[in-house]
Amino acid sequence: MSANATSRFSWHGYQEARLPQVPSWVETLGRAGHIAKGVVYFIVGFLAFRVTIGAGGEVGGARNAIREIGEQPYGMFLLGLVAIGLLGYTAWRWVQAIKDTEGAGTEAKGLLKRGGYAFSGIAYLVLGCYAGSLSLGFAGGSSSGESSQASFLLDNAVGQVVLGIAGVITVGVGIYFVIKGYYAKFMSKYQLAEMGDTFRTTALHAGRIGLITRGIAFSIIGYFLAHSAWQGTGNGEIAGMGDALSAIAGQMYGRILLGVVGFGLMAYAVHMVLLGCYRRFNVGQ
């Protein structure tokens, strides 16, 4: 990437002017968490891509990916590391929300953004605890838990409204990811001065492809959640990434589409790992 191309993503001076300091232990948790999240997404994408090329297996979401890790050599040890990383990512998300490390502010838009960080932290807390329970030898639950929760909400009118709102919000989040990926605003999070041209170029393309792909997957999830709420039935409902990938696979040219999405999720994983290595933190004492 040329100097002119990277200048659009310059961050020098912005961080110190607007972002508060965080202790060094927060940086450690954040970096480990980003890498652990990247590992999980890479496996989700790889499983989808493997189905595309006819190498066997089945598509699945984050829990499937974690179970896949556990089946590898030294799987229990690897699961422990992933669990620690995901719990670290949870802590980082909550610090983002409480300390406002991204400078979102206290206006409605900023509070909504910070609330999203906190909610994301809860999701990765559940995932981290799941990985930790498997690493300690406890049996994992069914991967259909999200779908059963959605079915429970469909049992009453209030639940349908809640599920519909969740679907609309999820679609909105998906659109946000697509826009964020297209305009490459995520590059402002990198310490570009410490990255070589190859890493900057990889971060740009992997982030763009990954965020747009993840946004499409989220939009599919949100659409089917809202559709289930509108119809008042759980038939064919989609409540997670694995369900969304299965829906893509069931379409015309589904294998090709699934391969594209799988590649995109692996690209997103690369983006997360690079963030784990090169993300900027305003570290204090």
Side-chain angles (χ1 to χ4, degrees):
M1 184 183 297
S2 66
N4 289 336
T6 57
S7 63
R8 290 178 299 156
F9 309 113
S10 177
W11 56 270
H12 183 68
Y14 173 81
Q15 182 181 14
E16 291 185 0
R18 295 190 58 185
L19 303 184
Q21 290 186 334
V22 296
S24 58
W25 62 267
V26 171
E27 177 185 10
T28 301
L29 290 177
R31 294 196 187 284
H34 279 83
I35 293 172
K37 182 181 176 183
V39 169
V40 171
Y41 265 93
F42 186 87
I43 295 175
V44 171
F46 175 76
L47 292 176
F49 195 79
R50 189 171 67 178
V51 171
T52 300
I53 62 177
E58 60 182 12
V59 296
R63 290 198 173 204
N64 299 67
I66 286 175
R67 287 195 294 271
E68 186 77 12
I69 293 172
E71 294 173 1
Q72 306 308 309
Y74 306 104
M76 298 298 102
F77 174 73
L78 295 175
L79 280 174
L81 293 180
V82 169
I84 293 171
L86 291 173
L87 294 177
Y89 190 76
T90 296
W92 162 240
R93 278 307 209 186
W94 288 347
V95 169
Q96 279 183 303
I98 297 170
K99 296 291 188 179
D100 192 17
T101 60
E102 307 303 308
T106 56
E107 297 181 355
K109 182 179 178 180
L111 291 176
L112 183 62
K113 191 173 183 180
R114 292 165 68 179
Y117 294 148
F119 184 80
S120 173
I122 294 173
Y124 284 100
L125 172 64
V126 173
L127 199 58
C129 289
Y130 179 71
S133 67
L134 292 184
S135 71
L136 295 174
F138 296 107
S142 169
S143 61
S144 63
E146 291 176 327
S147 295
S148 64
Q149 291 170 15
S151 298
F152 173 76
L153 289 174
L154 290 169
D155 290 340
N156 59 81
V158 175
Q160 290 179 26
V161 172
V162 172
L163 189 63
I165 293 174
V168 172
I169 292 175
T170 303
V171 171
V173 171
I175 294 172
Y176 167 76
F177 283 146
V178 171
I179 294 173
K180 184 178 179 181
Y182 178 80
Y183 287 104
K185 294 182 179 180
F186 57 86
M187 289 298 291
S188 64
K189 295 181 179 180
Y190 283 102
Q191 301 179 84
L192 295 174
E194 298 184 9
M195 300 170 68
D197 287 341
T198 300
F199 282 125
R200 285 198 293 266
T201 302
T202 301
L204 175 62
H205 294 311
R208 262 194 177 136
I209 295 170
L211 281 168
I212 290 173
T213 301
R214 191 175 182 227
I216 292 171
F218 265 65
S219 297
I220 292 172
I221 294 169
Y223 167 77
F224 279 97
L225 285 176
H227 185 265
S228 294
W230 178 261
Q231 297 294 325
T233 174
N235 293 332
E237 74 181 26
I238 290 182
M241 183 68 73
D243 297 325
L245 293 174
S246 296
I248 292 171
Q251 306 305 309
M252 184 178 296
Y253 305 111
R255 277 202 169 189
I256 296 175
L257 294 174
L258 188 63
V260 172
V261 173
F263 177 79
L265 292 176
M266 287 190 286
Y268 180 75
V270 172
H271 166 58
M272 292 307 301
V273 171
L274 286 174
L275 274 179
C277 297
Y278 292 107
R279 196 188 202 283
R280 60 183 176 89
F281 289 86
N282 191 24
V283 180
Q285 300 299 322

